[in-house]
Amino acid sequence: NKVYYKSHVIPKSVLHSAEDDNLSFEVFESTLDTGKMYEKNTGKNPRYRSKPELNTIQTKIFCNPLVRKSSDGCQFSLTEPEIETHFKKQPQQPEQQNEPPKSILDLLDSQPKINPDQKPEQQTPILGPILYLNHLKMHRTRDMKTTEEFSQDLVDATEIKSKTNTKNNNTVVIDLFYGLGYCTKAALNSGAKRVITFEKYKEVLELTRKNPFSRELYRPPLKDRIGLYQKDLLIDKPENFEILKKERETSGAKEEAFVDGIIIDPPKKNVMLYVYSEEFLKELKGFLKSGAVVSAYVPGASVSPKFAGMVEGLEGLFMGLGFEFLGKYKNHNNIYRFRKQ
């Protein structure tokens, strides 16, 4: 009765998503008692195909894309990433004037031009659904084993695990951009007592509820440890900080600073410019405990020449606000850390 997703064992609880009207599955079962192929369609029920396979019984699940459109014209889709084929880098060619990239993440994950006869260096199946905004990928997946791995690294960069190994664990984390909830889930599973998080689009929240890898966020015990607010960081500026003040009162914190870590992974350039502004960071700083770490996704020159010097600029900004610059996290060229002194 083991369940596999792209050859990875997963909990059977994800099968509950097959009950949703807009989510369909193909389930392939290998059995030992038949050599015939058969197919059965029964309305909303999954399709089953059976084939012989010696000494093995395994089930593979494939999720069809779900699509939602917002009132401002954005289209969101929840789907599986394709197998990413990595090719060895080719010698640099003379620079050509290309169209500007549609998204930072597409640039990060774009492949170099290759010879059609060149053999791939490796093929990596990525485990887990991902979110697309107007067909642009909202997750880092290159060189990742799962779609949640980059989110876990963003959380680990806040050093939350080291702060939760206490008798009275009151650690609080802010995840500024909820999305599919991968960072929020990683923070809770890393020991955070509560995560405060924001999401602008109700359509994204709908998709998150239908995402098999986000479902535990809507069930106890994780559900009771999340403060999820459908708010726009750009439009609802004063209200968002009022929310943090109310969260502080609810937590019973005796001091104004009650947050142990912040995760910043902005989806768009205009949002990035706001959250990496002195105005926003100065306001946010007041809620951070001394020693709290900000884990931030920061594009650099490797993404685009126009981002050259952005890390240095943020380093100066954070240090001017009383933060210590801790540098990049492990081998990630786009995750940087700042500690409040």
Side-chain angles (χ1 to χ4, degrees):
N1 292 323
K2 290 183 179 179
V3 179
Y4 294 79
Y5 181 93
K6 291 188 176 180
S7 302
H8 296 265
V9 178
I10 58 171
K12 272 196 168 182
S13 59
V14 302
L15 290 172
H16 294 313
S17 292
E19 300 170 1
D20 293 326
D21 292 344
N22 295 314
L23 191 60
S24 60
F25 283 90
E26 284 188 10
V27 182
F28 298 89
E29 290 186 333
S30 301
T31 65
L32 301 176
D33 57 358
T34 178
K36 297 180 180 179
M37 297 292 293
Y38 69 89
E39 182 175 325
K40 179 174 66 175
N41 291 308
T42 55
K44 294 179 184 177
N45 293 331
R47 293 184 297 169
Y48 294 91
R49 293 179 183 177
S50 182
K51 64 180 181 179
E53 190 168 333
L54 295 176
N55 302 322
T56 303
I57 298 179
Q58 66 179 22
T59 304
K60 291 187 178 181
I61 305 167
F62 299 89
C63 170
N64 292 338
L66 297 178
V67 179
R68 293 289 185 274
K69 291 184 179 180
S70 63
S71 58
D72 62 359
C74 291
Q75 177 174 298
F76 301 94
S77 59
L78 176 67
T79 185
E80 296 179 2
E82 297 296 329
I83 290 179
E84 297 202 349
T85 304
H86 303 161
F87 292 85
K88 293 182 179 179
K89 292 184 179 180
Q90 299 298 302
Q92 289 187 349
Q93 301 296 327
E95 291 188 4
Q96 297 180 357
Q97 195 145 10
N98 298 324
E99 293 183 6
K102 293 181 179 179
S103 96
I104 292 172
L105 288 169
D106 277 356
L107 245 179
L108 283 169
D109 292 341
S110 63
Q111 305 291 343
K113 293 183 178 180
I114 57 172
N115 184 330
D117 299 325
Q118 183 187 0
K119 293 183 179 180
E121 183 178 348
Q122 60 179 347
Q123 290 187 334
T124 310
I126 307 299
L127 171 65
I130 60 176
L131 181 68
Y132 284 83
L133 165 59
N134 296 334
H135 308 292
L136 304 177
K137 187 163 53 177
M138 293 289 103
H139 303 261
R140 283 293 308 275
T141 58
R142 185 183 175 99
D143 299 324
M144 302 289 171
K145 295 179 180 178
T146 75
T147 56
E148 298 175 288
E149 187 176 335
F150 188 73
S151 300
Q152 184 66 60
D153 287 339
L154 278 167
V155 170
D156 290 344
T158 63
E159 302 177 2
I160 285 299
K161 287 184 179 179
S162 64
K163 300 174 183 178
T164 59
N165 297 326
T166 58
K167 188 175 181 179
N168 298 317
N169 177 19
N170 293 310
T171 53
V172 177
V173 174
I174 295 177
D175 177 11
L176 285 178
F177 303 97
Y178 183 67
L180 293 182
Y182 289 162
C183 282
T184 293
K185 184 171 75 168
L188 292 170
N189 289 334
S190 296
K193 183 178 181 180
R194 186 163 180 81
V195 175
I196 305 164
T197 184
F198 301 87
E199 175 53 54
K200 174 181 177 179
Y201 292 99
K202 65 180 179 63
E203 292 78 14
V204 172
L205 295 177
E206 289 176 10
L207 292 177
T208 302
R209 284 181 174 274
K210 293 180 179 296
N211 177 18
F213 286 73
S214 304
R215 286 215 148 195
E216 60 186 290
L217 292 169
Y218 297 93
R219 298 169 181 157
L222 298 191
K223 176 183 177 182
D224 303 326
R225 294 158 56 196
I226 302 173
L228 174 57
Y229 299 91
Q230 188 190 328
K231 295 293 179 184
D232 186 334
L233 289 182
L234 290 177
I235 297 176
D236 306 315
K237 297 177 185 178
E239 191 173 347
N240 292 330
F241 289 115
E242 286 301 318
I243 286 172
L244 293 180
K245 291 177 182 178
K246 290 179 181 179
E247 283 279 353
R248 180 176 59 204
E249 294 172 4
T250 304
S251 71
K254 298 180 180 179
E255 299 181 4
E256 182 178 352
F258 75 110
V259 176
D260 298 271
I262 296 181
I263 303 157
I264 307 179
D265 186 14
K268 296 180 180 179
K269 180 182 176 181
N270 62 328
V271 180
M272 182 184 298
L273 293 176
Y274 171 62
V275 296
Y276 292 147
S277 67
E278 183 176 359
E279 171 195 2
F280 180 79
L281 292 174
K282 188 175 183 179
E283 192 81 30
L284 200 59
K285 176 191 172 184
F287 297 95
L288 284 172
K289 294 179 182 177
S290 177
V293 176
V294 177
S295 172
Y297 169 79
V298 184
S302 61
V303 177
S304 173
K306 66 181 178 181
F307 291 121
M310 186 169 184
V311 173
E312 291 77 9
L314 279 180
E315 178 183 352
L317 175 60
F318 272 92
M319 291 181 68
L321 292 171
F323 287 82
E324 176 189 1
F325 179 57
L326 302 178
K328 66 180 181 180
Y329 179 67
K330 293 186 176 179
N331 294 323
H332 287 289
N333 291 324
N334 300 104
I335 298 180
Y336 288 84
R337 306 189 303 147
F338 306 88
R339 189 193 306 277
K340 182 183 176 182
Q341 295 180 321

